[in-house]
Amino acid sequence: MNLLLVEDEQKIADFICEGLRAKNFSVTHCADGHKGYEAASSQAFDVIILDIMLPGRDGLDILASLRQIGVETPVILLTARNELGDRVQGLEMGADDYLAKPFYVEELNARIQALLRRHSGRAQHLLEVGSLQLDCINRSLHCQGQSVELTSREFSLLEYLMRSPNQVLTRGQLLEHVWGYDFDPCTNVVDVCIKRIRRKIASLEGAGKMVGAIESVRGTGYRLSAG
Ligand code: CA
């Protein structure tokens, strides 16, 4: 599980990173609002832990921009005791939960687990990005009334890309998520599978600009552009 922590107070950040890494989360830490937004909008995370008072850009502003560009990653806001108004505003703006400082890492961990459970429970059966629709029940891809079947790997890979549109997914993330590898087997399985998916998208008449939607990000991985 990949977490993003945006928190400017070093001591708090250290304590959260240490505590969550001990629970086997992989944690990326950003200490200011601009870097936090950049990471949250360009990389895929399972949960974002967002402090409200930050240098650069505050947490509520980051949250609003993320929801605006379609990033639906669950967000837990970290608030100070006196920021009740911000907390309410944050929940209205699409935060999934909040935690008032100070807190125990166990409490944060419990909130993260609850969010992950809720989030997977509300996974939709039909994913849509641009004119592409992925049917998660019969594992087929639809576009303008046409459809094409996908193999189970192609389906898992495309589903992963479609759940994080516009975000770069690294080869490592794809290998881990789709193939279950936590190491790089030094093969081109990812690229071969991407090529097959691109061909299937191109076979759908009317896919239009979605034909080029899976972009290669040189040296890193792939991104599905929502257009
Ligand atoms: Ca702060």
Side-chain angles (χ1 to χ4, degrees), residues 15-178:
F15 132 86
I16 295 176
C17 285
E18 207 173 297
L20 292 179
R21 284 177 186 143
K23 300 201 180 299
N24 287 324
F25 286 109
S26 147
V27 188
T28 300
H29 170 230
C30 294
D32 75 67
H34 291 299
K35 291 201 182 102
Y37 176 73
E38 200 184 302
S41 59
S42 62
Q43 297 168 42
F45 293 99
D46 297 295
V47 173
I48 298 169
I49 303 158
L50 190 56
D51 187 27
I52 290 186
M53 293 290 283
L54 290 165
R57 264 183 103 160
D58 75 51
L60 294 179
D61 186 37
I62 294 174
L63 173 64
S65 298
L66 289 176
R67 295 302 186 235
Q68 206 168 11
I69 61 167
V71 175
E72 298 296 335
T73 313
V75 168
I76 299 177
L77 289 173
L78 301 184
T79 68
R81 286 261 175 240
N82 56 1
E83 292 170 346
L84 180 65
D86 287 346
R87 210 177 291 170
V88 172
Q89 198 189 345
L91 291 172
E92 282 171 359
M93 284 163 70
D96 297 84
D97 205 348
Y98 68 86
L99 204 50
K101 295 175 189 178
F103 52 82
Y104 292 104
V105 153
E106 280 66 27
E107 200 178 347
L108 177 58
N109 181 43
R111 302 291 184 96
I112 293 170
Q113 302 293 353
L115 261 188
L116 290 171
R117 274 196 303 273
R118 246 194 285 160
H119 207 67
S120 63
R122 96 180 157 210
Q124 312 129 289
H125 293 310
L126 201 60
L127 283 176
E128 282 190 63
V129 174
S131 57
L132 298 180
Q133 292 182 322
L134 187 66
D135 186 324
C136 300
I137 294 176
N138 62 24
R139 307 197 152 196
S140 54
L141 179 65
H142 301 253
C143 181
Q144 320 271 8
Q146 292 185 304
S147 67
V148 62
E149 299 293 316
L150 299 171
T151 65
S152 67
R153 287 274 196 239
E154 289 163 3
F155 170 81
S156 304
L157 182 47
L158 186 57
E159 181 195 22
Y160 193 31
L161 288 167
M162 286 179 77
R163 285 197 190 279
S164 306
N166 299 318
Q167 298 179 45
V168 178
L169 297 174
T170 65
R171 270 198 186 70
Q173 284 177 307
L174 297 170
L175 281 168
E176 186 184 338
H177 194 92
V178 180

